[in-house]
Amino acid sequence: MLTQVLERGRSLTAALAPYSSPLHTSPDSAAPAATNASPNNGSGSASDSTGDSFASPRNNSQDKAAGAQLTARDLPLLQELCFGVLRTLPRLDALIALLLQRPLKARDQDLRCLLRVGLYQLDALAMPDHAAVAATVGASAVLDKAWARGLLNATLRRFLRERDALCEHVAQDETATTLFPPWLLARLRRAWPDDWQQVVAASNTRAPMFLRVNPLRIEREAYRAQLTATGIAATAIADCPHGLQLHTPIPVSQLPGFRDGLVSVQDAGAQRAAPLLKLLPGQRVLDACAAPGNKTAHQQELSDNRLELLALDQDPSRVQSLTANLARLKLRADIRQADATAPRGDWAEQRYDRILLDAPCSVTGVIRRHPDIKWLRRDADIAALADTQTRLLEALWPLLAPQGVLLYVTCSLLPEENEQQIAAFLTRHDDAHEDPIAADWGLARSHGRQLLPREDGSDGFFFARLVKE
């Protein structure tokens, strides 16, 4: 699976999809997908046979076959291994470089992934050493590389013998200690000279689980009472009237009333967006990049389900998730598959009182939920993403009615995608002015407001509110 993610450029959400079901969706995988630009708690143990099956799928049919063997007990461990390895990848690779006498051949990179999984179990998880070694060595047969059993066994046992010296050596490597690629670390240092270390630390943690209670169905305190009655502890989020933070993340299948639309999983930072639109029932609203639909749903929840809401997304599979999300919450919207950079058709002839542009971005504010982003993104992607954001702003601005409000949102930490994007837009449009966001959360920037990821708090988001003259 790690081979799929790292060598084929797949998002971890997509790679885990064959093994997942709505009943077992984790708090992390419920987060925004990597293309809008998905880490988890794991516990328990896996037998050698099931653990081997998950480490080795190499095509869709094998994915499905392995997925069929998956049990509810195994999924948390599968997720922990995938997300944990991707969080700590440079440390694991630095250890492998010290442990192997010769680099692995290009055709044996699947063995490198297997070593990563084995080392992660020994280095980061409280699993018995003999079990981790045996499972890793046994997986070589699933890869049709039983010849590598001796290599895997010797490498992992050397790690156990020389652990302290190896870890001390790796501690001198900045990439291996920060767990960030150099290009992204350099950008964060420039952008946040006083905060980059906190940003990096928070991005390397497991994310908290936040809920948004549907006020059209139940009051927040009443829902928290339901959680308490089922043994789930939660705390109300300050300044998020419908937000709760669970003390311990759990599968959504354990949330009372989830299937009936009482509640959604949504980061506390993302819950800031909809209120900033200053919505009123009856307004015509365009949600331009709407999938998977959490912010879309929140708008209708705040407006008594009475907005004339058009929700767009370009990706057919994401349109399906958007449709399912709104149906579960019993909220209405005109949902369409469309490219918001090129408005055409009847919807493009309308003028909207509110536009939400939740723009595609580097997703650098939600890395703890998408650790694969650190290794799938490239430095050159930032300029391309900024260009897409510019084209979206230019395409959507003519659709905004006079005195209308456009809310620009990213889950990026990079100024090129945030305040610099808004500054450039304002220089190009005399009919636009910024409506500053006055709040006691986040950081005021030259334009807009930035939330930085916090270890026990929300993810990183940027918000800017524009008004048309």
Side-chain angles (χ1 to χ4, degrees), residues 285-296:
V285 179
L286 171 60
D287 191 340
C289 302
N294 268 324
K295 296 185 184 74
T296 313

Side-chain angles (χ1 to χ4, degrees), residues 2 21 24 48 90 135 154 240 258 268 303 306 320 334 344 354 356 404 408 417 436 446 453:
L2 292 170
S21 73
H24 297 106
D48 287 351
C240 283
F258 179 79
S303 308
R306 292 165 58 194
Q320 291 181 2
D334 181 0
R344 59 173 63 91
R354 300 288 185 268
L356 173 59
Y408 177 83
E417 302 179 272
S446 57

Side-chain angles (χ1 to χ4, degrees), residues 149-291:
R149 292 173 60 90
L151 172 68
L152 296 169
N153 185 62
T155 303
L156 296 181
R157 294 196 179 282
R158 181 184 172 195
F159 172 77
L160 292 173
R161 291 194 307 272
E162 303 175 22
R163 183 198 305 253
D164 292 345
L166 290 166
C167 292
E168 184 177 349
H169 191 285
V170 166
Q172 309 307 311
D173 180 336
E174 184 177 62
T175 301
T177 54
T178 61
L179 307 178
F180 264 64
W183 71 266
L184 182 52
L185 192 64
R187 282 184 178 268
L188 292 177
R189 277 177 160 147
R190 288 197 299 272
W192 305 103
D194 298 327
D195 299 293
W196 69 270
Q197 292 169 308
Q198 169 253 305
V199 168
V200 166
S203 299
N204 288 330
T205 61
R206 296 179 178 86
M209 185 172 180
F210 297 100
L211 305 179
R212 187 191 74 243
V213 178
N214 182 354
L216 301 182
R217 305 294 306 283
I218 190 171
E219 296 294 328
R220 178 169 67 175
E221 284 308 307
Y223 187 76
R224 186 160 71 156
Q226 289 195 17
L227 291 174
T228 301
T230 55
I232 302 169
T235 302
I237 306 172
D239 302 324
C240 283
H242 308 115
L244 293 170
Q245 181 175 357
L246 299 189
H247 294 186
T248 303
I250 59 171
V252 295
S253 58
Q254 296 178 19
L255 292 172
F258 179 79
R259 282 186 176 277
D260 297 327
L262 299 190
V263 68
S264 298
V265 178
Q266 186 181 34
D267 183 80
Q271 295 186 43
R272 307 284 184 186
L276 293 176
L277 281 162
K278 302 179 179 178
L279 297 162
L280 294 172
Q283 287 178 328
R284 182 177 291 157
V285 179
L286 171 60
D287 191 340
C289 302

Side-chain angles (χ1 to χ4, degrees), residues 118-141:
L119 280 172
Y120 180 71
Q121 293 174 77
L122 297 175
D123 189 42
L125 299 184
M127 295 183 67
D129 293 347
H130 68 277
V133 173
T136 306
V137 171
S140 62

Side-chain angles (χ1 to χ4, degrees), residues 1-12:
M1 180 171 295
L2 292 170
T3 302
Q4 293 175 322
V5 171
L6 298 175
E7 295 180 0
R8 301 180 188 178
R10 297 179 63 184
S11 77
L12 192 51

